Amino acid sequence: MKRISLTQYLVEQQREYGLIPGQLRLLIEVVARACKRIAIAVNKGALGDVLGTAGTANVQGEVQKKLDVISNEVLIEANEWGGHLAAMASEEMDSIHVVPNRYPQGEYMLLFDPLDGSSNIDVNVSIGTIFSVLRKIGHGRGVTEEDFLQPGKQQAAAGYCVYGPQTTLVLTVGNGVAMFTLDRETGSWLLTQHETTIPEDTNEFAINMSNMRHWAPPVKRYIGECLAGSEGPRGKDFNMRWVASMVADVHRILTRGGIFIYPADLKDPSKAGRLRLMYEANPMAFLVEQAGGAATTGRSRLMEVTPSQLHQRVPVFLGSREEVAEAVRYHHAHDNAQG
Ligand code: F6P
Ligand code: MN
């Protein structure tokens, strides 16, 4: 079977729909190439001396793994010189990285979580890279952190790469979701799925149950009623999966449906959930919506949230449309009962 490459896909999307101007195509190809390099490093594991901690902490106070640092460097280096970007932001960097003056400045801004699911690196479980693309606002060379604070609905593209049994790149430019698999013999990304649709209904949820006692009442009730199964108010039995790498959990949901939840919890009320809005929740929300699913904070659409900080956190409920709507109903019922 003749499969088309990522490059051909991008060229055809531009030709047919005008969705991928030259700079955006270069950006996506550069990110895909960087992901290939990260995949090689991930694969080497102990042989490449890439496991374990780097001995540093990121802006959120999380211990950085060697591969977090390596992946961040790979993405920065790959994207700096092409003339397609004005600036980058990353989970692993406190503030934005403006493209140095020696390079031309492009129209886009790139945000990424260079290596998502860090706790799974050393145990050889799927991990990934998540990215989001915004357009630079305004003219002139200056870029500030504020320029990044755009709601997710303004994303020009988003995607992730999952380093699992297969290395898969999942992409949207606002015209559905395409999946590419890395052919390790030729080094090419080949289109393996050009339309992705999340089933509307599901009986599979993904949440870290160990936090149950910290959840807010509507989340407790929603999961409680899922757990009650066919004898409970939901009238059906649920299955549960939790990889603890958002990329892997979302990839499963894009493939066979489900609902993924990382709610805000009362363990640390200063944090609005665990996941970061701009480079975890928003790109996944864009992909999930483009595949016919839904992505909310539990109360409203994720991609409508106007960010106030680069590294802000947000509660996340995403996946099969009907099930996400169900979880939202629990929140509204709770809010209405509170008057
Ligand atoms: O990036 C944060 C992250 O590692 C996600 O990939 C994952 O979904 C979540 O945190 C895992 O959280 P926990 O440690 O609570 O299982
Ligand atoms: Mn992450």
Side-chain angles (χ1 to χ4, degrees):
M1 180 184 178
K2 167 110 180 66
R3 294 194 181 275
I4 71 165
S5 66
L6 174 65
T7 303
Q8 189 176 345
Y9 172 84
L10 297 174
V11 168
E12 286 175 0
Q13 286 285 308
Q14 171 62 7
R15 213 174 272 156
E16 281 172 46
Y17 309 102
L19 281 169
I20 313 189
Q23 285 194 9
L24 184 55
R25 185 180 122 204
L26 179 60
L27 189 165
I28 293 167
E29 293 208 79
V30 169
V31 168
R33 210 175 307 140
C35 288
K36 222 187 289 181
R37 284 190 57 193
I38 298 170
I40 291 167
V42 166
N43 258 229
K44 286 219 161 92
L47 299 176
D49 192 25
V50 295
L51 304 182
T53 58
T56 45
N58 67 13
V59 62
Q60 7 251 331
E62 296 162 343
V63 173
Q64 289 177 304
K65 298 276 168 60
K66 283 186 193 165
L67 268 171
D68 287 325
V69 175
I70 294 168
S71 307
N72 193 58
E73 279 165 10
V74 166
L75 281 157
I76 299 276
E77 272 174 34
N79 277 288
E80 236 178 15
W81 49 270
H84 52 284
L85 283 186
M88 291 174 252
S90 160
E91 177 177 324
E92 303 304 336
M93 301 189 297
D94 302 8
S95 44
I96 63 168
H97 177 91
V98 178
V99 165
N101 279 331
R102 60 184 182 279
Y103 301 122
Q105 201 181 61
E107 292 165 30
Y108 294 96
M109 304 190 298
L110 176 65
L111 299 102
F112 44 83
D113 176 353
L115 206 69
D116 175 65
S118 306
S119 73
N120 282 325
I121 297 173
D122 294 350
V123 292
N124 199 4
V125 171
S126 295
I127 47 184
T129 297
I130 311 174
F131 65 95
S132 162
V133 182
L134 295 169
R135 289 178 193 86
K136 178 178 179 277
I137 26 185
H139 299 289
R141 215 174 153 103
V143 192
T144 64
E145 201 160 299
E146 262 161 29
D147 296 335
F148 277 84
L149 305 181
Q150 304 176 30
K153 63 184 178 191
Q154 285 173 221
Q155 291 170 104
Y160 64 80
C161 180
V162 53
Y163 313 113
Q166 301 125 43
T167 304
T168 310
L169 180 75
V170 179
L171 174 72
T172 185
V173 290
N175 182 31
V177 176
M179 298 194 186
F180 303 84
T181 306
L182 181 62
D183 180 339
R184 288 189 172 269
E185 275 134 62
T186 61
S188 319
W189 291 105
L190 298 178
L191 183 66
T192 39
Q193 192 168 315
H194 77 283
E195 268 171 25
T196 304
T197 312
I198 302 177
E200 280 176 31
D201 291 300
T202 184
N203 55 3
E204 195 164 77
F205 66 82
I207 191 167
N208 182 345
M209 290 290 296
S210 71
N211 292 324
M212 190 164 198
R213 69 190 187 285
H214 304 296
W215 294 339
V219 182
K220 264 189 193 154
R221 185 171 154 223
Y222 167 69
I223 294 294
E225 295 189 358
C226 290
L227 291 175
S230 47
E231 295 94 54
R234 297 298 309 278
K236 60 178 181 176
D237 292 329
F238 279 79
N239 186 26
M240 194 198 91
R241 285 287 181 274
W242 185 250
V243 182
S245 289
M246 188 191 200
V247 270
D249 279 310
V250 171
H251 193 65
R252 184 187 59 255
I253 287 170
L254 280 169
T255 308
R256 68 170 191 219
I259 181 170
F260 170 92
I261 304 174
Y262 215 115
D265 62 38
L266 308 173
K267 189 165 53 179
D268 184 352
S270 69
K271 288 187 186 156
R274 171 171 177 131
L275 299 173
R276 274 56 55 115
L277 172 63
M278 300 213 60
Y279 41 81
E280 293 183 312
N282 273 341
M284 293 312 201
F286 193 14
L287 289 161
V288 164
E289 283 198 8
Q290 284 292 316
T296 79
T297 63
R299 293 186 165 86
S300 52
R301 187 177 171 224
L302 254 169
M303 287 202 289
E304 304 273 352
V305 175
T306 301
S308 54
Q309 283 172 10
L310 193 58
H311 297 288
Q312 89 183 58
R313 297 173 192 258
V314 72
V316 175
F317 295 71
L318 59 78
S320 293
R321 189 152 31 104
E322 285 304 323
E323 198 53 40
V324 173
E326 194 66 43
V328 171
R329 277 194 278 278
Y330 280 73
H331 284 80
H332 288 158
H334 170 265
D335 297 350
N336 291 338
Q338 299 286 299

